PDB file of all heavy atoms in Angstrom:
ATOM      1  N   ALA A  32      48.127  42.058   1.833  1.00 93.00           N
ATOM      2  CA  ALA A  32      48.946  42.869   2.742  1.00 93.00           C
ATOM      3  C   ALA A  32      48.567  44.335   2.552  1.00 93.00           C
ATOM      4  O   ALA A  32      48.330  44.790   1.442  1.00 93.00           O
ATOM      5  CB  ALA A  32      50.421  42.661   2.451  1.00 93.00           C
ATOM      6  N   THR A  33      48.496  45.051   3.663  1.00 93.00           N
ATOM      7  CA  THR A  33      48.214  46.481   3.623  1.00 93.00           C
ATOM      8  C   THR A  33      48.967  47.141   4.779  1.00 93.00           C
ATOM      9  O   THR A  33      49.496  46.446   5.653  1.00 93.00           O
ATOM     10  CB  THR A  33      46.699  46.758   3.691  1.00 93.00           C
ATOM     11  OG1 THR A  33      46.452  48.138   3.441  1.00 93.00           O
ATOM     12  CG2 THR A  33      46.091  46.344   5.009  1.00 93.00           C
ATOM     13  N   VAL A  34      49.024  48.446   4.785  1.00 95.00           N
ATOM     14  CA  VAL A  34      49.722  49.187   5.832  1.00 95.00           C
ATOM     15  C   VAL A  34      48.753  50.213   6.409  1.00 95.00           C
ATOM     16  O   VAL A  34      48.101  50.948   5.671  1.00 95.00           O
ATOM     17  CB  VAL A  34      50.978  49.901   5.269  1.00 95.00           C
ATOM     18  CG1 VAL A  34      51.674  50.706   6.353  1.00 95.00           C
ATOM     19  CG2 VAL A  34      51.931  48.885   4.666  1.00 95.00           C
ATOM     20  N   CYS A  35      48.648  50.243   7.730  1.00 95.00           N
ATOM     21  CA  CYS A  35      47.735  51.189   8.372  1.00 95.00           C
ATOM     22  C   CYS A  35      48.298  52.603   8.294  1.00 95.00           C
ATOM     23  O   CYS A  35      49.479  52.800   7.970  1.00 95.00           O
ATOM     24  CB  CYS A  35      47.453  50.764   9.816  1.00 95.00           C
ATOM     25  SG  CYS A  35      48.571  51.425  11.068  1.00 95.00           S
ATOM     26  N   PRO A  36      47.491  53.598   8.613  1.00 95.00           N
ATOM     27  CA  PRO A  36      47.956  54.993   8.567  1.00 95.00           C
ATOM     28  C   PRO A  36      49.138  55.282   9.506  1.00 95.00           C
ATOM     29  O   PRO A  36      49.838  56.270   9.338  1.00 95.00           O
ATOM     30  CB  PRO A  36      46.727  55.799   8.989  1.00 95.00           C
ATOM     31  CG  PRO A  36      45.569  54.925   8.674  1.00 95.00           C
ATOM     32  CD  PRO A  36      46.051  53.523   8.895  1.00 95.00           C
ATOM     33  N   HIS A  37      49.366  54.400  10.478  1.00 97.00           N
ATOM     34  CA  HIS A  37      50.474  54.576  11.418  1.00 97.00           C
ATOM     35  C   HIS A  37      51.654  53.674  11.061  1.00 97.00           C
ATOM     36  O   HIS A  37      52.517  53.399  11.895  1.00 97.00           O
ATOM     37  CB  HIS A  37      50.007  54.331  12.856  1.00 97.00           C
ATOM     38  CG  HIS A  37      48.923  55.276  13.264  1.00 97.00           C
ATOM     39  ND1 HIS A  37      49.168  56.587  13.615  1.00 97.00           N
ATOM     40  CD2 HIS A  37      47.584  55.111  13.327  1.00 97.00           C
ATOM     41  CE1 HIS A  37      48.018  57.188  13.882  1.00 97.00           C
ATOM     42  NE2 HIS A  37      47.044  56.311  13.718  1.00 97.00           N
ATOM     43  N   ASN A  38      51.645  53.192   9.820  1.00 97.00           N
ATOM     44  CA  ASN A  38      52.759  52.435   9.248  1.00 97.00           C
ATOM     45  C   ASN A  38      52.949  51.037   9.826  1.00 97.00           C
ATOM     46  O   ASN A  38      54.071  50.532   9.868  1.00 97.00           O
ATOM     47  CB  ASN A  38      54.051  53.243   9.355  1.00 97.00           C
ATOM     48  CG  ASN A  38      54.852  53.165   8.086  1.00 97.00           C
ATOM     49  OD1 ASN A  38      54.337  52.836   7.030  1.00 97.00           O
ATOM     50  ND2 ASN A  38      56.130  53.479   8.183  1.00 97.00           N
ATOM     51  N   HIS A  39      51.876  50.391  10.275  1.00 98.00           N
ATOM     52  CA  HIS A  39      51.955  49.012  10.741  1.00 98.00           C
ATOM     53  C   HIS A  39      51.488  48.082   9.615  1.00 98.00           C
ATOM     54  O   HIS A  39      50.449  48.327   9.010  1.00 98.00           O
ATOM     55  CB  HIS A  39      51.045  48.789  11.959  1.00 98.00           C
ATOM     56  CG  HIS A  39      51.398  49.648  13.119  1.00 98.00           C
ATOM     57  ND1 HIS A  39      50.511  50.550  13.670  1.00 98.00           N
ATOM     58  CD2 HIS A  39      52.545  49.754  13.828  1.00 98.00           C
ATOM     59  CE1 HIS A  39      51.093  51.166  14.682  1.00 98.00           C
ATOM     60  NE2 HIS A  39      52.334  50.701  14.801  1.00 98.00           N
ATOM     61  N   ASN A  40      52.253  47.046   9.356  1.00 97.00           N
ATOM     62  CA  ASN A  40      51.865  46.067   8.342  1.00 97.00           C
ATOM     63  C   ASN A  40      50.709  45.224   8.858  1.00 97.00           C
ATOM     64  O   ASN A  40      50.726  44.770  10.001  1.00 97.00           O
ATOM     65  CB  ASN A  40      53.045  45.152   7.999  1.00 97.00           C
ATOM     66  CG  ASN A  40      54.167  45.905   7.325  1.00 97.00           C
ATOM     67  OD1 ASN A  40      53.935  46.835   6.576  1.00 97.00           O
ATOM     68  ND2 ASN A  40      55.394  45.518   7.611  1.00 97.00           N
ATOM     69  N   GLN A  41      49.711  45.028   8.026  1.00 95.00           N
ATOM     70  CA  GLN A  41      48.537  44.245   8.385  1.00 95.00           C
ATOM     71  C   GLN A  41      48.188  43.310   7.239  1.00 95.00           C
ATOM     72  O   GLN A  41      48.552  43.554   6.092  1.00 95.00           O
ATOM     73  CB  GLN A  41      47.335  45.159   8.661  1.00 95.00           C
ATOM     74  CG  GLN A  41      47.526  46.118   9.805  1.00 95.00           C
ATOM     75  CD  GLN A  41      47.672  45.411  11.129  1.00 95.00           C
ATOM     76  OE1 GLN A  41      46.852  44.576  11.490  1.00 95.00           O
ATOM     77  NE2 GLN A  41      48.736  45.723  11.853  1.00 95.00           N
ATOM     78  N   THR A  42      47.462  42.248   7.561  1.00 94.00           N
ATOM     79  CA  THR A  42      46.943  41.340   6.545  1.00 94.00           C
ATOM     80  C   THR A  42      45.430  41.323   6.684  1.00 94.00           C
ATOM     81  O   THR A  42      44.912  41.181   7.791  1.00 94.00           O
ATOM     82  CB  THR A  42      47.501  39.914   6.741  1.00 94.00           C
ATOM     83  OG1 THR A  42      48.923  39.976   6.670  1.00 94.00           O
ATOM     84  CG2 THR A  42      46.974  38.973   5.678  1.00 94.00           C
ATOM     85  N   VAL A  43      44.743  41.499   5.574  1.00 93.00           N
ATOM     86  CA  VAL A  43      43.288  41.419   5.553  1.00 93.00           C
ATOM     87  C   VAL A  43      42.904  40.251   4.660  1.00 93.00           C
ATOM     88  O   VAL A  43      43.628  39.906   3.733  1.00 93.00           O
ATOM     89  CB  VAL A  43      42.636  42.731   5.056  1.00 93.00           C
ATOM     90  CG1 VAL A  43      42.936  43.863   6.021  1.00 93.00           C
ATOM     91  CG2 VAL A  43      43.110  43.092   3.671  1.00 93.00           C
ATOM     92  N   ALA A  44      41.779  39.630   4.961  1.00 93.00           N
ATOM     93  CA  ALA A  44      41.340  38.479   4.168  1.00 93.00           C
ATOM     94  C   ALA A  44      39.838  38.556   3.956  1.00 93.00           C
ATOM     95  O   ALA A  44      39.085  38.875   4.880  1.00 93.00           O
ATOM     96  CB  ALA A  44      41.696  37.178   4.881  1.00 93.00           C
ATOM     97  N   PHE A  45      39.422  38.277   2.733  1.00 92.00           N
ATOM     98  CA  PHE A  45      38.010  38.224   2.406  1.00 92.00           C
ATOM     99  C   PHE A  45      37.828  37.525   1.067  1.00 92.00           C
ATOM    100  O   PHE A  45      38.763  37.418   0.282  1.00 92.00           O
ATOM    101  CB  PHE A  45      37.342  39.602   2.364  1.00 92.00           C
ATOM    102  CG  PHE A  45      38.234  40.711   1.894  1.00 92.00           C
ATOM    103  CD1 PHE A  45      38.586  40.841   0.558  1.00 92.00           C
ATOM    104  CD2 PHE A  45      38.731  41.638   2.787  1.00 92.00           C
ATOM    105  CE1 PHE A  45      39.412  41.873   0.123  1.00 92.00           C
ATOM    106  CE2 PHE A  45      39.558  42.658   2.359  1.00 92.00           C
ATOM    107  CZ  PHE A  45      39.893  42.786   1.043  1.00 92.00           C
ATOM    108  N   SER A  46      36.626  37.046   0.849  1.00 93.00           N
ATOM    109  CA  SER A  46      36.286  36.457  -0.444  1.00 93.00           C
ATOM    110  C   SER A  46      35.880  37.594  -1.374  1.00 93.00           C
ATOM    111  O   SER A  46      35.618  38.717  -0.932  1.00 93.00           O
ATOM    112  CB  SER A  46      35.129  35.471  -0.296  1.00 93.00           C
ATOM    113  OG  SER A  46      33.938  36.165   0.027  1.00 93.00           O
ATOM    114  N   GLN A  47      35.790  37.296  -2.649  1.00 92.00           N
ATOM    115  CA  GLN A  47      35.371  38.320  -3.601  1.00 92.00           C
ATOM    116  C   GLN A  47      33.956  38.789  -3.266  1.00 92.00           C
ATOM    117  O   GLN A  47      33.665  39.984  -3.324  1.00 92.00           O
ATOM    118  CB  GLN A  47      35.432  37.793  -5.035  1.00 92.00           C
ATOM    119  CG  GLN A  47      35.079  38.866  -6.047  1.00 92.00           C
ATOM    120  CD  GLN A  47      35.339  38.426  -7.477  1.00 92.00           C
ATOM    121  OE1 GLN A  47      35.613  37.266  -7.751  1.00 92.00           O
ATOM    122  NE2 GLN A  47      35.254  39.362  -8.394  1.00 92.00           N
ATOM    123  N   GLU A  48      33.094  37.873  -2.879  1.00 93.00           N
ATOM    124  CA  GLU A  48      31.715  38.230  -2.520  1.00 93.00           C
ATOM    125  C   GLU A  48      31.689  39.157  -1.301  1.00 93.00           C
ATOM    126  O   GLU A  48      30.980  40.163  -1.293  1.00 93.00           O
ATOM    127  CB  GLU A  48      30.913  36.963  -2.247  1.00 93.00           C
ATOM    128  CG  GLU A  48      29.453  37.228  -1.966  1.00 93.00           C
ATOM    129  CD  GLU A  48      28.687  35.936  -1.769  1.00 93.00           C
ATOM    130  OE1 GLU A  48      28.540  35.169  -2.740  1.00 93.00           O
ATOM    131  OE2 GLU A  48      28.241  35.699  -0.629  1.00 93.00           O
ATOM    132  N   GLU A  49      32.455  38.822  -0.266  1.00 93.00           N
ATOM    133  CA  GLU A  49      32.518  39.675   0.926  1.00 93.00           C
ATOM    134  C   GLU A  49      33.043  41.066   0.573  1.00 93.00           C
ATOM    135  O   GLU A  49      32.511  42.074   1.051  1.00 93.00           O
ATOM    136  CB  GLU A  49      33.456  39.059   1.970  1.00 93.00           C
ATOM    137  CG  GLU A  49      32.939  37.809   2.609  1.00 93.00           C
ATOM    138  CD  GLU A  49      33.999  37.105   3.438  1.00 93.00           C
ATOM    139  OE1 GLU A  49      35.204  37.186   3.111  1.00 93.00           O
ATOM    140  OE2 GLU A  49      33.604  36.463   4.426  1.00 93.00           O
ATOM    141  N   PHE A  50      34.081  41.093  -0.241  1.00 93.00           N
ATOM    142  CA  PHE A  50      34.700  42.351  -0.660  1.00 93.00           C
ATOM    143  C   PHE A  50      33.702  43.234  -1.405  1.00 93.00           C
ATOM    144  O   PHE A  50      33.508  44.398  -1.059  1.00 93.00           O
ATOM    145  CB  PHE A  50      35.916  42.027  -1.538  1.00 93.00           C
ATOM    146  CG  PHE A  50      36.570  43.222  -2.155  1.00 93.00           C
ATOM    147  CD1 PHE A  50      37.346  44.084  -1.397  1.00 93.00           C
ATOM    148  CD2 PHE A  50      36.430  43.486  -3.503  1.00 93.00           C
ATOM    149  CE1 PHE A  50      37.962  45.190  -1.972  1.00 93.00           C
ATOM    150  CE2 PHE A  50      37.042  44.580  -4.093  1.00 93.00           C
ATOM    151  CZ  PHE A  50      37.807  45.431  -3.321  1.00 93.00           C
ATOM    152  N   GLU A  51      33.051  42.676  -2.417  1.00 92.00           N
ATOM    153  CA  GLU A  51      32.115  43.462  -3.228  1.00 92.00           C
ATOM    154  C   GLU A  51      30.901  43.900  -2.414  1.00 92.00           C
ATOM    155  O   GLU A  51      30.431  45.028  -2.552  1.00 92.00           O
ATOM    156  CB  GLU A  51      31.671  42.668  -4.463  1.00 92.00           C
ATOM    157  CG  GLU A  51      32.789  42.396  -5.456  1.00 92.00           C
ATOM    158  CD  GLU A  51      33.386  43.649  -6.096  1.00 92.00           C
ATOM    159  OE1 GLU A  51      32.747  44.719  -6.096  1.00 92.00           O
ATOM    160  OE2 GLU A  51      34.515  43.548  -6.608  1.00 92.00           O
ATOM    161  N   GLU A  52      30.413  43.029  -1.538  1.00 94.00           N
ATOM    162  CA  GLU A  52      29.258  43.389  -0.704  1.00 94.00           C
ATOM    163  C   GLU A  52      29.617  44.535   0.253  1.00 94.00           C
ATOM    164  O   GLU A  52      28.836  45.466   0.438  1.00 94.00           O
ATOM    165  CB  GLU A  52      28.767  42.176   0.088  1.00 94.00           C
ATOM    166  CG  GLU A  52      27.524  42.437   0.899  1.00 94.00           C
ATOM    167  CD  GLU A  52      26.322  42.886   0.079  1.00 94.00           C
ATOM    168  OE1 GLU A  52      26.134  42.403  -1.054  1.00 94.00           O
ATOM    169  OE2 GLU A  52      25.546  43.722   0.582  1.00 94.00           O
ATOM    170  N   ALA A  53      30.803  44.474   0.838  1.00 93.00           N
ATOM    171  CA  ALA A  53      31.235  45.540   1.751  1.00 93.00           C
ATOM    172  C   ALA A  53      31.409  46.860   0.999  1.00 93.00           C
ATOM    173  O   ALA A  53      31.063  47.919   1.515  1.00 93.00           O
ATOM    174  CB  ALA A  53      32.533  45.147   2.453  1.00 93.00           C
ATOM    175  N   LEU A  54      31.914  46.788  -0.228  1.00 92.00           N
ATOM    176  CA  LEU A  54      32.041  48.010  -1.030  1.00 92.00           C
ATOM    177  C   LEU A  54      30.673  48.600  -1.346  1.00 92.00           C
ATOM    178  O   LEU A  54      30.462  49.805  -1.205  1.00 92.00           O
ATOM    179  CB  LEU A  54      32.768  47.722  -2.348  1.00 92.00           C
ATOM    180  CG  LEU A  54      34.282  47.677  -2.314  1.00 92.00           C
ATOM    181  CD1 LEU A  54      34.826  47.328  -3.692  1.00 92.00           C
ATOM    182  CD2 LEU A  54      34.854  49.000  -1.855  1.00 92.00           C
ATOM    183  N   LYS A  55      29.727  47.755  -1.760  1.00 94.00           N
ATOM    184  CA  LYS A  55      28.382  48.231  -2.110  1.00 94.00           C
ATOM    185  C   LYS A  55      27.678  48.871  -0.926  1.00 94.00           C
ATOM    186  O   LYS A  55      26.980  49.864  -1.072  1.00 94.00           O
ATOM    187  CB  LYS A  55      27.523  47.071  -2.629  1.00 94.00           C
ATOM    188  CG  LYS A  55      27.867  46.628  -4.020  1.00 94.00           C
ATOM    189  CD  LYS A  55      26.966  45.479  -4.427  1.00 94.00           C
ATOM    190  CE  LYS A  55      27.482  44.776  -5.656  1.00 94.00           C
ATOM    191  NZ  LYS A  55      26.715  43.564  -5.947  1.00 94.00           N
ATOM    192  N   SER A  56      27.870  48.281   0.247  1.00 95.00           N
ATOM    193  CA  SER A  56      27.177  48.787   1.434  1.00 95.00           C
ATOM    194  C   SER A  56      27.987  49.860   2.169  1.00 95.00           C
ATOM    195  O   SER A  56      27.571  50.345   3.220  1.00 95.00           O
ATOM    196  CB  SER A  56      26.874  47.633   2.389  1.00 95.00           C
ATOM    197  OG  SER A  56      28.073  47.054   2.856  1.00 95.00           O
ATOM    198  N   ASP A  57      29.149  50.221   1.588  1.00 91.00           N
ATOM    199  CA  ASP A  57      30.010  51.255   2.163  1.00 91.00           C
ATOM    200  C   ASP A  57      30.472  50.899   3.567  1.00 91.00           C
ATOM    201  O   ASP A  57      30.575  51.764   4.445  1.00 91.00           O
ATOM    202  CB  ASP A  57      29.297  52.604   2.150  1.00 91.00           C
ATOM    203  CG  ASP A  57      30.270  53.772   2.222  1.00 91.00           C
ATOM    204  OD1 ASP A  57      31.429  53.610   1.791  1.00 91.00           O
ATOM    205  OD2 ASP A  57      29.865  54.843   2.713  1.00 91.00           O
ATOM    206  N   THR A  58      30.761  49.599   3.798  1.00 91.00           N
ATOM    207  CA  THR A  58      31.208  49.158   5.118  1.00 91.00           C
ATOM    208  C   THR A  58      32.617  48.570   5.095  1.00 91.00           C
ATOM    209  O   THR A  58      33.064  48.025   6.100  1.00 91.00           O
ATOM    210  CB  THR A  58      30.248  48.114   5.715  1.00 91.00           C
ATOM    211  OG1 THR A  58      30.186  46.979   4.840  1.00 91.00           O
ATOM    212  CG2 THR A  58      28.866  48.692   5.940  1.00 91.00           C
ATOM    213  N   LEU A  59      33.323  48.675   3.963  1.00 93.00           N
ATOM    214  CA  LEU A  59      34.664  48.110   3.880  1.00 93.00           C
ATOM    215  C   LEU A  59      35.647  49.023   4.611  1.00 93.00           C
ATOM    216  O   LEU A  59      35.942  50.133   4.188  1.00 93.00           O
ATOM    217  CB  LEU A  59      35.105  47.935   2.424  1.00 93.00           C
ATOM    218  CG  LEU A  59      36.464  47.266   2.225  1.00 93.00           C
ATOM    219  CD1 LEU A  59      36.484  45.873   2.856  1.00 93.00           C
ATOM    220  CD2 LEU A  59      36.799  47.173   0.753  1.00 93.00           C
ATOM    221  N   VAL A  60      36.107  48.536   5.755  1.00 94.00           N
ATOM    222  CA  VAL A  60      37.050  49.269   6.588  1.00 94.00           C
ATOM    223  C   VAL A  60      38.073  48.263   7.102  1.00 94.00           C
ATOM    224  O   VAL A  60      37.723  47.162   7.500  1.00 94.00           O
ATOM    225  CB  VAL A  60      36.339  49.941   7.789  1.00 94.00           C
ATOM    226  CG1 VAL A  60      37.330  50.656   8.684  1.00 94.00           C
ATOM    227  CG2 VAL A  60      35.272  50.893   7.308  1.00 94.00           C
ATOM    228  N   PHE A  61      39.332  48.657   7.089  1.00 95.00           N
ATOM    229  CA  PHE A  61      40.390  47.810   7.626  1.00 95.00           C
ATOM    230  C   PHE A  61      40.630  48.199   9.078  1.00 95.00           C
ATOM    231  O   PHE A  61      40.354  49.325   9.491  1.00 95.00           O
ATOM    232  CB  PHE A  61      41.681  47.970   6.835  1.00 95.00           C
ATOM    233  CG  PHE A  61      41.561  47.584   5.388  1.00 95.00           C
ATOM    234  CD1 PHE A  61      42.341  48.202   4.439  1.00 95.00           C
ATOM    235  CD2 PHE A  61      40.673  46.607   4.967  1.00 95.00           C
ATOM    236  CE1 PHE A  61      42.260  47.847   3.104  1.00 95.00           C
ATOM    237  CE2 PHE A  61      40.578  46.249   3.632  1.00 95.00           C
ATOM    238  CZ  PHE A  61      41.381  46.865   2.704  1.00 95.00           C
ATOM    239  N   HIS A  62      41.176  47.244   9.853  1.00 95.00           N
ATOM    240  CA  HIS A  62      41.445  47.500  11.267  1.00 95.00           C
ATOM    241  C   HIS A  62      42.863  47.068  11.595  1.00 95.00           C
ATOM    242  O   HIS A  62      43.277  45.962  11.255  1.00 95.00           O
ATOM    243  CB  HIS A  62      40.456  46.735  12.151  1.00 95.00           C
ATOM    244  CG  HIS A  62      40.715  46.933  13.602  1.00 95.00           C
ATOM    245  ND1 HIS A  62      40.352  48.080  14.260  1.00 95.00           N
ATOM    246  CD2 HIS A  62      41.335  46.157  14.516  1.00 95.00           C
ATOM    247  CE1 HIS A  62      40.719  47.989  15.525  1.00 95.00           C
ATOM    248  NE2 HIS A  62      41.324  46.828  15.699  1.00 95.00           N
ATOM    249  N   CYS A  63      43.615  47.941  12.252  1.00 96.00           N
ATOM    250  CA  CYS A  63      44.972  47.632  12.687  1.00 96.00           C
ATOM    251  C   CYS A  63      44.915  47.080  14.107  1.00 96.00           C
ATOM    252  O   CYS A  63      44.435  47.755  15.028  1.00 96.00           O
ATOM    253  CB  CYS A  63      45.859  48.873  12.646  1.00 96.00           C
ATOM    254  SG  CYS A  63      47.551  48.544  13.195  1.00 96.00           S
ATOM    255  N   LYS A  64      45.398  45.877  14.273  1.00 94.00           N
ATOM    256  CA  LYS A  64      45.410  45.245  15.600  1.00 94.00           C
ATOM    257  C   LYS A  64      46.514  45.809  16.485  1.00 94.00           C
ATOM    258  O   LYS A  64      46.473  45.659  17.699  1.00 94.00           O
ATOM    259  CB  LYS A  64      45.584  43.735  15.444  1.00 94.00           C
ATOM    260  CG  LYS A  64      44.427  43.093  14.733  1.00 94.00           C
ATOM    261  CD  LYS A  64      44.706  41.642  14.425  1.00 94.00           C
ATOM    262  CE  LYS A  64      43.583  41.097  13.571  1.00 94.00           C
ATOM    263  NZ  LYS A  64      44.022  40.068  12.665  1.00 94.00           N
ATOM    264  N   THR A  65      47.492  46.460  15.867  1.00 96.00           N
ATOM    265  CA  THR A  65      48.611  47.017  16.624  1.00 96.00           C
ATOM    266  C   THR A  65      48.231  48.324  17.316  1.00 96.00           C
ATOM    267  O   THR A  65      48.500  48.508  18.498  1.00 96.00           O
ATOM    268  CB  THR A  65      49.829  47.248  15.702  1.00 96.00           C
ATOM    269  OG1 THR A  65      50.149  46.020  15.056  1.00 96.00           O
ATOM    270  CG2 THR A  65      51.024  47.747  16.479  1.00 96.00           C
ATOM    271  N   CYS A  66      47.584  49.235  16.579  1.00 97.00           N
ATOM    272  CA  CYS A  66      47.277  50.552  17.156  1.00 97.00           C
ATOM    273  C   CYS A  66      45.778  50.828  17.254  1.00 97.00           C
ATOM    274  O   CYS A  66      45.377  51.938  17.573  1.00 97.00           O
ATOM    275  CB  CYS A  66      47.963  51.658  16.359  1.00 97.00           C
ATOM    276  SG  CYS A  66      47.385  51.837  14.652  1.00 97.00           S
TER     277      CYS A  66
END
Side-chain angles (χ1 to χ4, degrees):
T33 189
V34 178
C35 90
H37 300 283
N38 223 20
H39 300 120
N40 294 326
Q41 299 295 308
T42 301
V43 296
F45 33 74
S46 68
Q47 183 171 10
E48 184 177 293
E49 290 170 329
F50 174 74
E51 294 296 340
E52 184 59 37
L54 278 178
K55 285 180 194 172
S56 63
D57 202 26
T58 60
L59 184 59
V60 178
F61 299 150
H62 178 77
C63 179
K64 296 172 187 149
T65 305
C66 65

